[in-house]
Amino acid sequence: MKSVLFPKKKLPDPELEILRSELADAQGELQQAYRQFNQAIDPELVESCVYQISGVKARCNYLIRAIKARCPDAAAVKLEGDVTWT
């Protein structure tokens, strides 16, 4: 007999949780890269920070696309703090 009162709960997708965790880590790396950029004085260090920021942003964008592909009903990905990636 099927239970109508208690529908089955969906188990969390482990791949999705890994992607979200990696995205949260990348967000922390991005914040650190911006802090380094704000403190850099030497032009070569500034340039290095710009490349680092660009690389981490590209990784964040990839992870967001991967999360949205894995879970299409996620219109926005909420992360730590007030940041929302769409």
Side-chain angles (χ1 to χ4, degrees), residues 15-65:
E15 178 78 18
L16 187 59
E17 294 305 316
I18 291 170
L19 290 171
R20 286 183 175 158
S21 174
E22 288 180 11
L23 184 57
D25 292 343
Q27 180 191 24
E29 289 179 33
L30 187 58
Q31 290 173 349
Q32 178 64 25
Y34 274 116
R35 280 194 293 274
Q36 289 175 346
F37 174 79
N38 289 333
Q39 295 175 357
I41 297 172
D42 184 47
E44 290 179 6
L45 287 177
V46 171
E47 184 179 5
S48 171
C49 290
V50 168
Y51 284 115
Q52 185 177 7
I53 289 168
S54 178
V56 175
K57 281 179 140 182
R59 189 165 33 143
C60 285
N61 288 333
Y62 164 76
L63 290 167
I64 291 167
R65 284 193 310 271

Side-chain angles (χ1 to χ4, degrees), residues 10 16 20 65-76:
K10 289 176 111 179
L16 187 59
R20 286 183 175 158
R65 284 193 310 271
I67 290 170
K68 286 182 177 181
R70 192 108 180 138
C71 182
D73 58 333

